[in-house]
Amino acid sequence: MRIVVYASASPNTPESFKKAALKLGRLLADGGHTCVNGGGDHGGMGALNRGCRERGGKLKVVIHTKWCVDGTAFDL
């Protein structure tokens, strides 16, 4: 199943939110789901993507090219 998750992209995201997003990413990967999100590397999105990726999960990201040049895009 593809599951869309909206999350923050700010480096100032509270640690508790990032921990929850990391856990969610892991759970999605463990369940065999595809995580669809904005593709950010910071905040909740970055933690979500890292959690999913570290468990071998599938990511489908939708990100505008203007965000891919300044290090804010998750490294796919």
Side-chain angles (χ1 to χ4, degrees), residues 18-30 35 44-59 74:
K18 290 189 281 189
K19 284 181 182 179
L22 182 72
K23 183 176 180 180
L24 178 58
R26 291 172 176 162
L27 288 170
L28 292 174
D30 291 346
C35 179
M45 263 191 293
L48 176 76
N49 290 331
R50 279 187 289 285
C52 188
R53 177 55 58 82
E54 76 180 26
R55 296 280 179 96
K58 297 176 194 166
L59 293 168
F74 187 72

Side-chain angles (χ1 to χ4, degrees), residues 12-75:
N12 299 321
T13 301
E15 227 17 74
S16 61
F17 289 9
K18 290 189 281 189
K19 284 181 182 179
L22 182 72
K23 183 176 180 180
L24 178 58
R26 291 172 176 162
L27 288 170
L28 292 174
D30 291 346
H33 304 292
T34 299
C35 179
V36 181
N37 68 74
D41 194 32
H42 301 293
M45 263 191 293
L48 176 76
N49 290 331
R50 279 187 289 285
C52 188
R53 177 55 58 82
E54 76 180 26
R55 296 280 179 96
K58 297 176 194 166
L59 293 168
K60 187 80 159 177
V61 302
V62 181
I63 188 168
H64 194 283
T65 55
K66 76 178 184 177
W67 303 117
C68 295
V69 296
D70 64 356
T72 59
F74 187 72
D75 183 18

